[in-house]
Every structure is written in C-alpha cells, then in structure tokens.
Amino acid sequence: MKKLALLTLFSTTLLVSAPIVSFADETASSSDINILADDDPVVPVEPTDPTTPVDPVDPVDPVDPVDPVDPVDPVDPTEPTEPTEPTEPTEPTEPTEPTEQSQQSQQSQQSQQSQQSQQSQQSQQSQRNQQNQRSQRNQRNQASQQSQRNQVSQRNQQSQRNQASRQNQVNQQSQQYQTNQ
C-alpha cells in the first residue's frame, strides 16, 4: 500500500513539474544568460597518493598507588648527666660469708635483671625488625616507581620516534609530489 502511494506521488510530481521546466526553458533566451568564464582553461591536477594510516598509540597503564609509609615514632632526646667528681678509694673490707637469704635474693635479683635484659633485647630486636621491614618496603616501592617511570619514558620516546618517522614520511611525500609537478 505504501509503495503504491509513493509511486503515485512520484509520478504525479514528475507530470506536474515537467511542463514548468519546459516552459522555463522556452522563455529564457540565449541573450539573457550571462556565462562567466575564464579565458584560461582549467588544467587538471593529478590526484595525490593517499597517506598511510597512523598506527594507534598504546594507552598508558595507570600507575598503581603507593602504600603510605608508616610514620616513625619520635625519640625523646636524653639530657646529658653532669659528671661526678671522683671519690677517694676506700680500704677494702674483708668479705663476709653470704647467708642463704642473701644468696637467694642475689639470685632472684640476677634472674630479674637477666629477664629485664632479655625483654629489652627482644624489644630492641623487634624495633630493628620493624625498621628493616619498613626500609625494605620503601626500597621496593622506590624500585617499582622507578620502573614505572622508565616504562613511561620509553613509551614517550617511542611515541616521539613514531611521530618523527611519520613527519619524515609526510615530508618525503610532499617533496615527491612537488617534484612530480
């Protein structure tokens, strides 16, 4: 149905417009028409060669965020102690035989001191281990960042080389075109 309607509309338009066009052709005389023409004929130009397509540039990988570094607890400075004046040595006294209680108290003091010393050494070792771990993490992060910077730099250099190569090709094609003319 739609085809029939379109065909009818098209044929009607042709029939109506044909007499108008022919009437316009008959009324216009050759003296009424001004033709603007140059005296020189147009010289045809040779078609140019198509340019080579540009290779797409690889997208840059996003940089992974760096883990923040744990802050180091500040250490309070210690105040220097004043030197003491040396005292005169006293005469040694003869040692007395230790009693059992004094021996036990000495042993308990020594064991307490050794336990405190061990705890202090363990605490210091734990702090050194934590500092070493932080240092190693920092070194890994710095190495990773340097590697990423190197990769970006290499990509930029490759991109610049590609652009220079394309520019050289365009220049050569332009020179060839100019010499051909």
Side-chain angles (χ1 to χ4, degrees):
M1 183 72 178
K2 290 180 184 178
K3 290 181 183 178
L4 181 62
L6 286 174
L7 182 63
T8 306
L9 180 65
F10 182 70
S11 60
T12 306
T13 305
L14 285 177
L15 290 174
V16 171
S17 64
I20 295 173
V21 172
S22 64
F23 178 75
D25 289 340
E26 291 174 4
T27 59
S29 65
S30 61
S31 61
D32 294 338
I33 299 174
N34 292 332
I35 299 175
L36 299 175
D38 292 336
D39 294 338
D40 299 331
V42 177
V43 178
V45 179
E46 292 182 20
T48 59
D49 293 334
T51 59
T52 57
V54 178
D55 295 334
V57 178
D58 294 335
V60 178
D61 295 334
V63 178
D64 294 334
V66 179
D67 295 336
V69 178
D70 297 334
V72 178
D73 295 334
V75 178
D76 295 333
T78 59
E79 295 181 13
T81 60
E82 295 181 12
T84 60
E85 294 182 13
T87 60
E88 293 181 17
T90 59
E91 292 182 16
T93 59
E94 292 185 21
T96 60
E97 292 184 23
T99 62
E100 286 184 29
Q101 289 180 344
S102 67
Q103 286 178 349
Q104 289 176 351
S105 68
Q106 285 178 352
Q107 288 175 351
S108 68
Q109 286 177 350
Q110 288 176 352
S111 70
Q112 286 177 349
Q113 289 175 350
S114 68
Q115 286 177 351
Q116 290 174 349
S117 172
Q118 287 176 350
Q119 289 175 348
S120 172
Q121 288 175 352
Q122 289 174 349
S123 173
Q124 290 173 353
Q125 183 63 32
S126 172
Q127 289 175 349
R128 275 185 252 139
N129 288 344
Q130 288 176 351
Q131 288 176 347
N132 286 340
Q133 289 173 350
R134 287 185 199 123
S135 174
Q136 289 172 351
R137 258 185 287 166
N138 287 341
Q139 289 173 352
R140 283 193 304 266
N141 288 341
Q142 289 173 352
S144 173
Q145 289 173 350
Q146 184 63 35
S147 172
Q148 290 172 351
R149 282 191 291 265
N150 289 343
Q151 289 175 353
V152 169
S153 175
Q154 288 174 352
R155 288 185 187 133
N156 288 341
Q157 290 173 355
Q158 183 64 33
S159 175
Q160 289 172 352
R161 285 192 297 264
N162 289 346
Q163 288 176 348
S165 174
R166 285 187 213 109
Q167 186 62 38
N168 286 340
Q169 289 175 350
V170 168
N171 290 342
Q172 288 174 354
Q173 289 175 352
S174 174
Q175 288 174 353
Q176 287 176 353
Y177 176 73
Q178 289 174 356
T179 56
N180 288 341
Q181 285 187 353

